Amino acid sequence: MFAIERVHGREILDSRGRPTVEVDVFTKAAMGRSSAPSGASTGSAEALEIRDKNDRYHGRGVRKAVNNVNTSIAVALRGLDVRRQRAIDEALLRLDPTKNKHVMGGNAITATSLACARCAANSMGISFYEFLDPHARKLPVPMFNVINGGKHSDSGLAIQEFMIVPRGVRKFSEALRAGSEIYEELGAILEKKYGAGARAVGDEGGYAPRVKTTRDALDAMEKAIKNSGYGKHVVLALDCAASSFYDEKKRTYLVDGKHMARDNLIGYYRELCKSYPIASIEDPLFEQDFGGFAYARKKLGKVLVVGDDLLTTNLTRLQHAVELGSVSALLMKVNQVGTLSEALDAAMFAKGNGLKVIVSHRSGETCDDSIADIAVGIGAELIKAGAPARGERLAKYNRLLRIEEKLGDRAMFLGASAF
Ligand code: 2PG
Ligand code: MG
């Protein structure tokens, strides 16, 4: 019943209309399916997506990666017990022991690893989150990305993600309602102030208005929260993705038209945190500056300092960050590292060292909702999956609604204790 009989990969399109890898895994009992998401502001230490680089899809086709799934990977996994995720992932790593998975492709490996886990859950007749932990009951606090900048839109904002975090409500479903109401109100505010077109959205469904400064964006968000009646129950979070506005030669950052050295930039963040209820800042600095992150963390007090491009869900980089005190939270993305087991190792190490875990989508997504189950399955404090709008983002949030419903009285929303 649980032996893997067939592994089948195919090329599908993601939310940017670009090719990605989808994998189906079959046992006698059931089928499991998953697909690889894709980043735009990727960390340089991430697992490599193999792209065909030929005349199809502007070179972005993934037929080579799909072919790896349908040949070497399918052969290596056939007959393995689908419930033994660790053994499956080890088999994948034997096929591709390289640091950045350039032999099989991070895209082929992630889609396969997750499809196996989903097939195991389906074969056992349980939910994916229950497969990860039969006692799971914690619902993560959502971070809704409502204004898109950086590499995710042409708004002109240097900072990539402006998020609202409804942490002062009682249930996940109430947090989602708050997110939706504030998103709607923010659209109206932006349209009134910046005119038609201000409601156009970026890659993650957040608005991409042509605002002049970071503060203009934060002001509009604060107003939307207030107008919607949520007051202090909703806080703010940023993903700076600072590598995208860092000049490695000059060692300066360019924000709101100003070139700033590292310490000035940290001072600028401090000012922002004094003016607005910012609870979390992701990638405040260049992705190699472990020491700078530690310094920023000291200077930013209680604000969570989150490592994304800095850590790339990579245990070695995370261990280094923990030694230096660089971060207070890990951003967990399975496709940054490759297999589910490696990502779980990073999450467990983070938790063991008192760090928070934020399970994250990518800017290029499919309607695969695995990250919702992963967040519940590992008891992650937070999840970020984009705006509370657009199908591929809502796939995750709606899945969390269903999990909350299924858990019933056992559901535990982490709320303010997530920070
Ligand atoms: C990030 C992610 C997801 P991307 O920087 O955190 O929001 O963006 O997938 O483009 O790397
Ligand atoms: Mg990021």
PDB file of all heavy atoms in Angstrom, residues 231-268:
ATOM      1  N   GLY A 231      -7.175  49.315  15.058  1.00  0.00           N
ATOM      2  CA  GLY A 231      -6.245  49.966  15.992  1.00  0.00           C
ATOM      3  C   GLY A 231      -5.002  49.168  16.278  1.00  0.00           C
ATOM      4  O   GLY A 231      -4.311  48.722  15.372  1.00  0.00           O
ATOM      5  N   LYS A 232      -4.737  48.961  17.572  1.00  0.00           N
ATOM      6  CA  LYS A 232      -3.476  48.318  17.979  1.00  0.00           C
ATOM      7  C   LYS A 232      -3.438  46.805  17.733  1.00  0.00           C
ATOM      8  O   LYS A 232      -2.411  46.156  17.934  1.00  0.00           O
ATOM      9  CB  LYS A 232      -3.239  48.573  19.471  1.00  0.00           C
ATOM     10  CG  LYS A 232      -2.858  50.008  19.766  1.00  0.00           C
ATOM     11  CD  LYS A 232      -2.234  50.106  21.157  1.00  0.00           C
ATOM     12  CE  LYS A 232      -1.648  51.469  21.422  1.00  0.00           C
ATOM     13  NZ  LYS A 232      -2.636  52.560  21.377  1.00  0.00           N
ATOM     14  N   HIS A 233      -4.574  46.256  17.334  1.00  0.00           N
ATOM     15  CA  HIS A 233      -4.594  44.800  17.133  1.00  0.00           C
ATOM     16  C   HIS A 233      -3.815  44.347  15.909  1.00  0.00           C
ATOM     17  O   HIS A 233      -3.520  43.170  15.749  1.00  0.00           O
ATOM     18  CB  HIS A 233      -6.035  44.299  17.020  1.00  0.00           C
ATOM     19  CG  HIS A 233      -6.807  44.489  18.275  1.00  0.00           C
ATOM     20  ND1 HIS A 233      -6.375  43.986  19.471  1.00  0.00           N
ATOM     21  CD2 HIS A 233      -7.959  45.148  18.534  1.00  0.00           C
ATOM     22  CE1 HIS A 233      -7.231  44.326  20.424  1.00  0.00           C
ATOM     23  NE2 HIS A 233      -8.198  45.035  19.875  1.00  0.00           N
ATOM     24  N   VAL A 234      -3.519  45.309  15.032  1.00  0.00           N
ATOM     25  CA  VAL A 234      -2.781  44.951  13.818  1.00  0.00           C
ATOM     26  C   VAL A 234      -1.461  45.729  13.789  1.00  0.00           C
ATOM     27  O   VAL A 234      -1.455  46.950  13.925  1.00  0.00           O
ATOM     28  CB  VAL A 234      -3.611  45.265  12.552  1.00  0.00           C
ATOM     29  CG1 VAL A 234      -2.820  44.933  11.290  1.00  0.00           C
ATOM     30  CG2 VAL A 234      -4.919  44.487  12.566  1.00  0.00           C
ATOM     31  N   VAL A 235      -0.364  45.000  13.649  1.00  0.00           N
ATOM     32  CA  VAL A 235       0.947  45.654  13.579  1.00  0.00           C
ATOM     33  C   VAL A 235       1.507  45.526  12.160  1.00  0.00           C
ATOM     34  O   VAL A 235       0.892  44.904  11.290  1.00  0.00           O
ATOM     35  CB  VAL A 235       1.929  45.066  14.625  1.00  0.00           C
ATOM     36  CG1 VAL A 235       1.474  45.420  16.030  1.00  0.00           C
ATOM     37  CG2 VAL A 235       2.071  43.555  14.449  1.00  0.00           C
ATOM     38  N   LEU A 236       2.687  46.126  11.957  1.00  0.00           N
ATOM     39  CA  LEU A 236       3.276  46.141  10.620  1.00  0.00           C
ATOM     40  C   LEU A 236       4.568  45.312  10.568  1.00  0.00           C
ATOM     41  O   LEU A 236       5.203  45.083  11.600  1.00  0.00           O
ATOM     42  CB  LEU A 236       3.605  47.582  10.212  1.00  0.00           C
ATOM     43  CG  LEU A 236       2.464  48.607  10.302  1.00  0.00           C
ATOM     44  CD1 LEU A 236       2.953  49.987   9.859  1.00  0.00           C
ATOM     45  CD2 LEU A 236       1.275  48.176   9.445  1.00  0.00           C
ATOM     46  N   ALA A 237       4.906  44.870   9.373  1.00  0.00           N
ATOM     47  CA  ALA A 237       6.168  44.149   9.170  1.00  0.00           C
ATOM     48  C   ALA A 237       6.727  44.515   7.803  1.00  0.00           C
ATOM     49  O   ALA A 237       5.962  44.844   6.888  1.00  0.00           O
ATOM     50  CB  ALA A 237       5.938  42.635   9.247  1.00  0.00           C
ATOM     51  N   LEU A 238       8.055  44.483   7.692  1.00  0.00           N
ATOM     52  CA  LEU A 238       8.710  44.803   6.420  1.00  0.00           C
ATOM     53  C   LEU A 238       9.600  43.651   5.977  1.00  0.00           C
ATOM     54  O   LEU A 238      10.209  42.983   6.814  1.00  0.00           O
ATOM     55  CB  LEU A 238       9.611  46.042   6.576  1.00  0.00           C
ATOM     56  CG  LEU A 238       8.970  47.359   7.012  1.00  0.00           C
ATOM     57  CD1 LEU A 238      10.058  48.409   7.248  1.00  0.00           C
ATOM     58  CD2 LEU A 238       7.972  47.846   5.965  1.00  0.00           C
ATOM     59  N   ASP A 239       9.647  43.404   4.665  1.00  0.00           N
ATOM     60  CA  ASP A 239      10.747  42.619   4.111  1.00  0.00           C
ATOM     61  C   ASP A 239      11.524  43.576   3.219  1.00  0.00           C
ATOM     62  O   ASP A 239      11.071  43.937   2.135  1.00  0.00           O
ATOM     63  CB  ASP A 239      10.251  41.416   3.305  1.00  0.00           C
ATOM     64  CG  ASP A 239      11.419  40.637   2.690  1.00  0.00           C
ATOM     65  OD1 ASP A 239      12.587  40.979   2.977  1.00  0.00           O
ATOM     66  OD2 ASP A 239      11.166  39.681   1.924  1.00  0.00           O
ATOM     67  N   CYS A 240      12.690  43.991   3.707  1.00  0.00           N
ATOM     68  CA  CYS A 240      13.480  44.973   2.951  1.00  0.00           C
ATOM     69  C   CYS A 240      14.125  44.324   1.728  1.00  0.00           C
ATOM     70  O   CYS A 240      14.294  44.962   0.698  1.00  0.00           O
ATOM     71  CB  CYS A 240      14.558  45.572   3.842  1.00  0.00           C
ATOM     72  SG  CYS A 240      13.868  46.321   5.322  1.00  0.00           S
ATOM     73  N   ALA A 241      14.478  43.029   1.837  1.00  0.00           N
ATOM     74  CA  ALA A 241      15.236  42.370   0.754  1.00  0.00           C
ATOM     75  C   ALA A 241      16.380  43.292   0.335  1.00  0.00           C
ATOM     76  O   ALA A 241      16.551  43.633  -0.836  1.00  0.00           O
ATOM     77  CB  ALA A 241      14.329  42.019  -0.431  1.00  0.00           C
ATOM     78  N   ALA A 242      17.170  43.699   1.333  1.00  0.00           N
ATOM     79  CA  ALA A 242      18.127  44.802   1.163  1.00  0.00           C
ATOM     80  C   ALA A 242      19.225  44.538   0.133  1.00  0.00           C
ATOM     81  O   ALA A 242      19.809  45.485  -0.395  1.00  0.00           O
ATOM     82  CB  ALA A 242      18.753  45.152   2.511  1.00  0.00           C
ATOM     83  N   SER A 243      19.495  43.260  -0.178  1.00  0.00           N
ATOM     84  CA  SER A 243      20.518  42.995  -1.211  1.00  0.00           C
ATOM     85  C   SER A 243      20.139  43.660  -2.522  1.00  0.00           C
ATOM     86  O   SER A 243      21.008  44.003  -3.322  1.00  0.00           O
ATOM     87  CB  SER A 243      20.667  41.487  -1.437  1.00  0.00           C
ATOM     88  OG  SER A 243      21.122  40.880  -0.254  1.00  0.00           O
ATOM     89  N   SER A 244      18.826  43.848  -2.741  1.00  0.00           N
ATOM     90  CA  SER A 244      18.383  44.398  -4.033  1.00  0.00           C
ATOM     91  C   SER A 244      18.615  45.907  -4.131  1.00  0.00           C
ATOM     92  O   SER A 244      18.536  46.466  -5.218  1.00  0.00           O
ATOM     93  CB  SER A 244      16.910  44.058  -4.289  1.00  0.00           C
ATOM     94  OG  SER A 244      16.102  44.696  -3.339  1.00  0.00           O
ATOM     95  N   PHE A 245      18.896  46.588  -3.014  1.00  0.00           N
ATOM     96  CA  PHE A 245      19.240  48.016  -3.124  1.00  0.00           C
ATOM     97  C   PHE A 245      20.616  48.334  -2.494  1.00  0.00           C
ATOM     98  O   PHE A 245      20.887  49.442  -2.075  1.00  0.00           O
ATOM     99  CB  PHE A 245      18.128  48.933  -2.566  1.00  0.00           C
ATOM    100  CG  PHE A 245      17.672  48.634  -1.160  1.00  0.00           C
ATOM    101  CD1 PHE A 245      18.379  49.120  -0.069  1.00  0.00           C
ATOM    102  CD2 PHE A 245      16.503  47.906  -0.934  1.00  0.00           C
ATOM    103  CE1 PHE A 245      17.947  48.876   1.229  1.00  0.00           C
ATOM    104  CE2 PHE A 245      16.062  47.647   0.363  1.00  0.00           C
ATOM    105  CZ  PHE A 245      16.784  48.132   1.440  1.00  0.00           C
ATOM    106  N   TYR A 246      21.446  47.290  -2.476  1.00  0.00           N
ATOM    107  CA  TYR A 246      22.800  47.449  -1.939  1.00  0.00           C
ATOM    108  C   TYR A 246      23.810  47.562  -3.079  1.00  0.00           C
ATOM    109  O   TYR A 246      23.750  46.801  -4.044  1.00  0.00           O
ATOM    110  CB  TYR A 246      23.157  46.231  -1.083  1.00  0.00           C
ATOM    111  CG  TYR A 246      24.511  46.286  -0.427  1.00  0.00           C
ATOM    112  CD1 TYR A 246      24.826  47.293   0.475  1.00  0.00           C
ATOM    113  CD2 TYR A 246      25.476  45.319  -0.701  1.00  0.00           C
ATOM    114  CE1 TYR A 246      26.076  47.331   1.089  1.00  0.00           C
ATOM    115  CE2 TYR A 246      26.721  45.351  -0.088  1.00  0.00           C
ATOM    116  CZ  TYR A 246      27.011  46.366   0.805  1.00  0.00           C
ATOM    117  OH  TYR A 246      28.238  46.395   1.400  1.00  0.00           O
ATOM    118  N   ASP A 247      24.708  48.509  -2.969  1.00  0.00           N
ATOM    119  CA  ASP A 247      25.779  48.663  -3.949  1.00  0.00           C
ATOM    120  C   ASP A 247      27.049  48.073  -3.338  1.00  0.00           C
ATOM    121  O   ASP A 247      27.640  48.663  -2.425  1.00  0.00           O
ATOM    122  CB  ASP A 247      25.970  50.159  -4.272  1.00  0.00           C
ATOM    123  CG  ASP A 247      27.003  50.377  -5.366  1.00  0.00           C
ATOM    124  OD1 ASP A 247      27.980  49.583  -5.456  1.00  0.00           O
ATOM    125  OD2 ASP A 247      26.837  51.347  -6.134  1.00  0.00           O
ATOM    126  N   GLU A 248      27.433  46.877  -3.827  1.00  0.00           N
ATOM    127  CA  GLU A 248      28.558  46.165  -3.204  1.00  0.00           C
ATOM    128  C   GLU A 248      29.880  46.923  -3.314  1.00  0.00           C
ATOM    129  O   GLU A 248      30.733  46.808  -2.444  1.00  0.00           O
ATOM    130  CB  GLU A 248      28.710  44.778  -3.827  1.00  0.00           C
ATOM    131  CG  GLU A 248      27.829  43.740  -3.150  1.00  0.00           C
ATOM    132  CD  GLU A 248      28.129  42.332  -3.622  1.00  0.00           C
ATOM    133  OE1 GLU A 248      29.220  41.813  -3.297  1.00  0.00           O
ATOM    134  OE2 GLU A 248      27.278  41.756  -4.318  1.00  0.00           O
ATOM    135  N   LYS A 249      30.044  47.672  -4.410  1.00  0.00           N
ATOM    136  CA  LYS A 249      31.309  48.409  -4.584  1.00  0.00           C
ATOM    137  C   LYS A 249      31.399  49.575  -3.605  1.00  0.00           C
ATOM    138  O   LYS A 249      32.394  49.756  -2.917  1.00  0.00           O
ATOM    139  CB  LYS A 249      31.414  48.930  -6.018  1.00  0.00           C
ATOM    140  CG  LYS A 249      31.911  47.887  -6.983  1.00  0.00           C
ATOM    141  CD  LYS A 249      32.617  48.522  -8.194  1.00  0.00           C
ATOM    142  CE  LYS A 249      32.833  47.469  -9.261  1.00  0.00           C
ATOM    143  NZ  LYS A 249      31.757  47.464 -10.288  1.00  0.00           N
ATOM    144  N   LYS A 250      30.316  50.350  -3.572  1.00  0.00           N
ATOM    145  CA  LYS A 250      30.334  51.539  -2.706  1.00  0.00           C
ATOM    146  C   LYS A 250      29.975  51.214  -1.261  1.00  0.00           C
ATOM    147  O   LYS A 250      30.130  52.046  -0.371  1.00  0.00           O
ATOM    148  CB  LYS A 250      29.350  52.581  -3.241  1.00  0.00           C
ATOM    149  CG  LYS A 250      29.733  53.153  -4.600  1.00  0.00           C
ATOM    150  CD  LYS A 250      28.851  54.358  -4.941  1.00  0.00           C
ATOM    151  CE  LYS A 250      29.093  54.841  -6.339  1.00  0.00           C
ATOM    152  NZ  LYS A 250      27.865  54.943  -7.150  1.00  0.00           N
ATOM    153  N   ARG A 251      29.441  50.032  -1.050  1.00  0.00           N
ATOM    154  CA  ARG A 251      28.967  49.594   0.265  1.00  0.00           C
ATOM    155  C   ARG A 251      27.924  50.565   0.833  1.00  0.00           C
ATOM    156  O   ARG A 251      27.984  50.960   2.008  1.00  0.00           O
ATOM    157  CB  ARG A 251      30.155  49.416   1.231  1.00  0.00           C
ATOM    158  CG  ARG A 251      31.175  48.432   0.637  1.00  0.00           C
ATOM    159  CD  ARG A 251      32.356  48.275   1.516  1.00  0.00           C
ATOM    160  NE  ARG A 251      32.026  47.449   2.670  1.00  0.00           N
ATOM    161  CZ  ARG A 251      32.909  47.099   3.593  1.00  0.00           C
ATOM    162  NH1 ARG A 251      34.150  47.503   3.499  1.00  0.00           N
ATOM    163  NH2 ARG A 251      32.544  46.359   4.601  1.00  0.00           N
ATOM    164  N   THR A 252      26.978  50.938  -0.029  1.00  0.00           N
ATOM    165  CA  THR A 252      25.876  51.800   0.407  1.00  0.00           C
ATOM    166  C   THR A 252      24.543  51.226  -0.044  1.00  0.00           C
ATOM    167  O   THR A 252      24.473  50.427  -0.985  1.00  0.00           O
ATOM    168  CB  THR A 252      25.998  53.227  -0.165  1.00  0.00           C
ATOM    169  OG1 THR A 252      26.100  53.128  -1.588  1.00  0.00           O
ATOM    170  CG2 THR A 252      27.188  53.971   0.409  1.00  0.00           C
ATOM    171  N   TYR A 253      23.520  51.660   0.660  1.00  0.00           N
ATOM    172  CA  TYR A 253      22.142  51.247   0.354  1.00  0.00           C
ATOM    173  C   TYR A 253      21.389  52.455  -0.192  1.00  0.00           C
ATOM    174  O   TYR A 253      21.582  53.576   0.299  1.00  0.00           O
ATOM    175  CB  TYR A 253      21.454  50.765   1.627  1.00  0.00           C
ATOM    176  CG  TYR A 253      22.078  49.518   2.221  1.00  0.00           C
ATOM    177  CD1 TYR A 253      23.137  49.610   3.128  1.00  0.00           C
ATOM    178  CD2 TYR A 253      21.611  48.254   1.879  1.00  0.00           C
ATOM    179  CE1 TYR A 253      23.716  48.473   3.680  1.00  0.00           C
ATOM    180  CE2 TYR A 253      22.174  47.105   2.431  1.00  0.00           C
ATOM    181  CZ  TYR A 253      23.218  47.215   3.328  1.00  0.00           C
ATOM    182  OH  TYR A 253      23.783  46.084   3.877  1.00  0.00           O
ATOM    183  N   LEU A 254      20.520  52.222  -1.184  1.00  0.00           N
ATOM    184  CA  LEU A 254      19.768  53.323  -1.791  1.00  0.00           C
ATOM    185  C   LEU A 254      18.275  53.183  -1.447  1.00  0.00           C
ATOM    186  O   LEU A 254      17.583  52.299  -1.964  1.00  0.00           O
ATOM    187  CB  LEU A 254      19.970  53.311  -3.314  1.00  0.00           C
ATOM    188  CG  LEU A 254      19.231  54.374  -4.115  1.00  0.00           C
ATOM    189  CD1 LEU A 254      19.646  55.784  -3.678  1.00  0.00           C
ATOM    190  CD2 LEU A 254      19.497  54.199  -5.622  1.00  0.00           C
ATOM    191  N   VAL A 255      17.803  54.056  -0.536  1.00  0.00           N
ATOM    192  CA  VAL A 255      16.393  54.038  -0.131  1.00  0.00           C
ATOM    193  C   VAL A 255      15.826  55.452  -0.219  1.00  0.00           C
ATOM    194  O   VAL A 255      16.468  56.407   0.249  1.00  0.00           O
ATOM    195  CB  VAL A 255      16.229  53.533   1.329  1.00  0.00           C
ATOM    196  CG1 VAL A 255      14.748  53.452   1.705  1.00  0.00           C
ATOM    197  CG2 VAL A 255      16.873  52.178   1.512  1.00  0.00           C
ATOM    198  N   ASP A 256      14.649  55.579  -0.805  1.00  0.00           N
ATOM    199  CA  ASP A 256      13.986  56.885  -0.945  1.00  0.00           C
ATOM    200  C   ASP A 256      14.928  57.928  -1.553  1.00  0.00           C
ATOM    201  O   ASP A 256      14.975  59.084  -1.118  1.00  0.00           O
ATOM    202  CB  ASP A 256      13.476  57.398   0.421  1.00  0.00           C
ATOM    203  CG  ASP A 256      12.404  56.489   1.009  1.00  0.00           C
ATOM    204  OD1 ASP A 256      11.841  55.663   0.253  1.00  0.00           O
ATOM    205  OD2 ASP A 256      12.134  56.597   2.213  1.00  0.00           O
ATOM    206  N   GLY A 257      15.728  57.529  -2.508  1.00  0.00           N
ATOM    207  CA  GLY A 257      16.623  58.455  -3.207  1.00  0.00           C
ATOM    208  C   GLY A 257      17.885  58.820  -2.437  1.00  0.00           C
ATOM    209  O   GLY A 257      18.694  59.626  -2.901  1.00  0.00           O
ATOM    210  N   LYS A 258      18.073  58.227  -1.244  1.00  0.00           N
ATOM    211  CA  LYS A 258      19.261  58.567  -0.445  1.00  0.00           C
ATOM    212  C   LYS A 258      20.225  57.382  -0.360  1.00  0.00           C
ATOM    213  O   LYS A 258      19.809  56.253  -0.102  1.00  0.00           O
ATOM    214  CB  LYS A 258      18.845  58.956   0.979  1.00  0.00           C
ATOM    215  CG  LYS A 258      18.176  60.296   1.056  1.00  0.00           C
ATOM    216  CD  LYS A 258      17.976  60.680   2.530  1.00  0.00           C
ATOM    217  CE  LYS A 258      16.901  61.725   2.659  1.00  0.00           C
ATOM    218  NZ  LYS A 258      15.555  61.196   2.927  1.00  0.00           N
ATOM    219  N   HIS A 259      21.519  57.665  -0.544  1.00  0.00           N
ATOM    220  CA  HIS A 259      22.542  56.628  -0.378  1.00  0.00           C
ATOM    221  C   HIS A 259      22.946  56.586   1.090  1.00  0.00           C
ATOM    222  O   HIS A 259      23.327  57.601   1.659  1.00  0.00           O
ATOM    223  CB  HIS A 259      23.774  56.951  -1.230  1.00  0.00           C
ATOM    224  CG  HIS A 259      23.484  56.920  -2.700  1.00  0.00           C
ATOM    225  ND1 HIS A 259      23.547  55.770  -3.450  1.00  0.00           N
ATOM    226  CD2 HIS A 259      23.079  57.901  -3.550  1.00  0.00           C
ATOM    227  CE1 HIS A 259      23.222  56.031  -4.696  1.00  0.00           C
ATOM    228  NE2 HIS A 259      22.928  57.330  -4.790  1.00  0.00           N
ATOM    229  N   MET A 260      22.857  55.411   1.694  1.00  0.00           N
ATOM    230  CA  MET A 260      23.164  55.328   3.132  1.00  0.00           C
ATOM    231  C   MET A 260      24.181  54.230   3.412  1.00  0.00           C
ATOM    232  O   MET A 260      24.096  53.137   2.855  1.00  0.00           O
ATOM    233  CB  MET A 260      21.888  54.995   3.915  1.00  0.00           C
ATOM    234  CG  MET A 260      20.890  56.129   3.956  1.00  0.00           C
ATOM    235  SD  MET A 260      19.497  55.676   5.027  1.00  0.00           S
ATOM    236  CE  MET A 260      18.245  55.473   3.794  1.00  0.00           C
ATOM    237  N   ALA A 261      25.118  54.531   4.301  1.00  0.00           N
ATOM    238  CA  ALA A 261      26.016  53.483   4.794  1.00  0.00           C
ATOM    239  C   ALA A 261      25.216  52.616   5.768  1.00  0.00           C
ATOM    240  O   ALA A 261      24.134  53.006   6.210  1.00  0.00           O
ATOM    241  CB  ALA A 261      27.200  54.119   5.506  1.00  0.00           C
ATOM    242  N   ARG A 262      25.778  51.449   6.102  1.00  0.00           N
ATOM    243  CA  ARG A 262      25.053  50.494   6.941  1.00  0.00           C
ATOM    244  C   ARG A 262      24.483  51.110   8.221  1.00  0.00           C
ATOM    245  O   ARG A 262      23.306  50.934   8.525  1.00  0.00           O
ATOM    246  CB  ARG A 262      25.983  49.337   7.294  1.00  0.00           C
ATOM    247  CG  ARG A 262      25.311  48.285   8.120  1.00  0.00           C
ATOM    248  CD  ARG A 262      26.235  47.136   8.356  1.00  0.00           C
ATOM    249  NE  ARG A 262      27.081  47.354   9.528  1.00  0.00           N
ATOM    250  CZ  ARG A 262      28.043  46.518   9.908  1.00  0.00           C
ATOM    251  NH1 ARG A 262      28.297  45.434   9.187  1.00  0.00           N
ATOM    252  NH2 ARG A 262      28.751  46.761  10.982  1.00  0.00           N
ATOM    253  N   ASP A 263      25.326  51.821   8.963  1.00  0.00           N
ATOM    254  CA  ASP A 263      24.858  52.348  10.243  1.00  0.00           C
ATOM    255  C   ASP A 263      23.760  53.385  10.063  1.00  0.00           C
ATOM    256  O   ASP A 263      22.848  53.487  10.890  1.00  0.00           O
ATOM    257  CB  ASP A 263      26.028  52.945  11.028  1.00  0.00           C
ATOM    258  CG  ASP A 263      26.956  51.845  11.526  1.00  0.00           C
ATOM    259  OD1 ASP A 263      26.724  50.667  11.163  1.00  0.00           O
ATOM    260  OD2 ASP A 263      27.922  52.145  12.261  1.00  0.00           O
ATOM    261  N   ASN A 264      23.849  54.166   8.976  1.00  0.00           N
ATOM    262  CA  ASN A 264      22.781  55.132   8.710  1.00  0.00           C
ATOM    263  C   ASN A 264      21.472  54.419   8.397  1.00  0.00           C
ATOM    264  O   ASN A 264      20.398  54.858   8.804  1.00  0.00           O
ATOM    265  CB  ASN A 264      23.131  56.028   7.506  1.00  0.00           C
ATOM    266  CG  ASN A 264      24.338  56.887   7.806  1.00  0.00           C
ATOM    267  OD1 ASN A 264      24.713  57.044   8.965  1.00  0.00           O
ATOM    268  ND2 ASN A 264      24.949  57.420   6.764  1.00  0.00           N
ATOM    269  N   LEU A 265      21.595  53.329   7.650  1.00  0.00           N
ATOM    270  CA  LEU A 265      20.391  52.580   7.298  1.00  0.00           C
ATOM    271  C   LEU A 265      19.735  52.006   8.560  1.00  0.00           C
ATOM    272  O   LEU A 265      18.514  52.074   8.724  1.00  0.00           O
ATOM    273  CB  LEU A 265      20.730  51.447   6.320  1.00  0.00           C
ATOM    274  CG  LEU A 265      19.540  50.607   5.862  1.00  0.00           C
ATOM    275  CD1 LEU A 265      18.559  51.431   5.017  1.00  0.00           C
ATOM    276  CD2 LEU A 265      19.993  49.384   5.057  1.00  0.00           C
ATOM    277  N   ILE A 266      20.547  51.483   9.466  1.00  0.00           N
ATOM    278  CA  ILE A 266      19.994  50.942  10.715  1.00  0.00           C
ATOM    279  C   ILE A 266      19.334  52.072  11.516  1.00  0.00           C
ATOM    280  O   ILE A 266      18.252  51.888  12.085  1.00  0.00           O
ATOM    281  CB  ILE A 266      21.095  50.219  11.531  1.00  0.00           C
ATOM    282  CG1 ILE A 266      21.554  48.966  10.763  1.00  0.00           C
ATOM    283  CG2 ILE A 266      20.585  49.831  12.918  1.00  0.00           C
ATOM    284  CD1 ILE A 266      22.773  48.274  11.344  1.00  0.00           C
ATOM    285  N   GLY A 267      19.966  53.249  11.510  1.00  0.00           N
ATOM    286  CA  GLY A 267      19.369  54.412  12.172  1.00  0.00           C
ATOM    287  C   GLY A 267      18.019  54.771  11.543  1.00  0.00           C
ATOM    288  O   GLY A 267      17.062  55.096  12.249  1.00  0.00           O
ATOM    289  N   TYR A 268      17.978  54.659  10.223  1.00  0.00           N
ATOM    290  CA  TYR A 268      16.737  54.942   9.495  1.00  0.00           C
ATOM    291  C   TYR A 268      15.640  53.948   9.905  1.00  0.00           C
ATOM    292  O   TYR A 268      14.495  54.330  10.162  1.00  0.00           O
ATOM    293  CB  TYR A 268      17.041  54.871   7.995  1.00  0.00           C
ATOM    294  CG  TYR A 268      15.853  54.888   7.079  1.00  0.00           C
ATOM    295  CD1 TYR A 268      15.187  56.072   6.776  1.00  0.00           C
ATOM    296  CD2 TYR A 268      15.408  53.713   6.469  1.00  0.00           C
ATOM    297  CE1 TYR A 268      14.098  56.082   5.911  1.00  0.00           C
ATOM    298  CE2 TYR A 268      14.332  53.710   5.604  1.00  0.00           C
ATOM    299  CZ  TYR A 268      13.689  54.893   5.325  1.00  0.00           C
ATOM    300  OH  TYR A 268      12.617  54.891   4.472  1.00  0.00           O
TER     301      TYR A 268
END
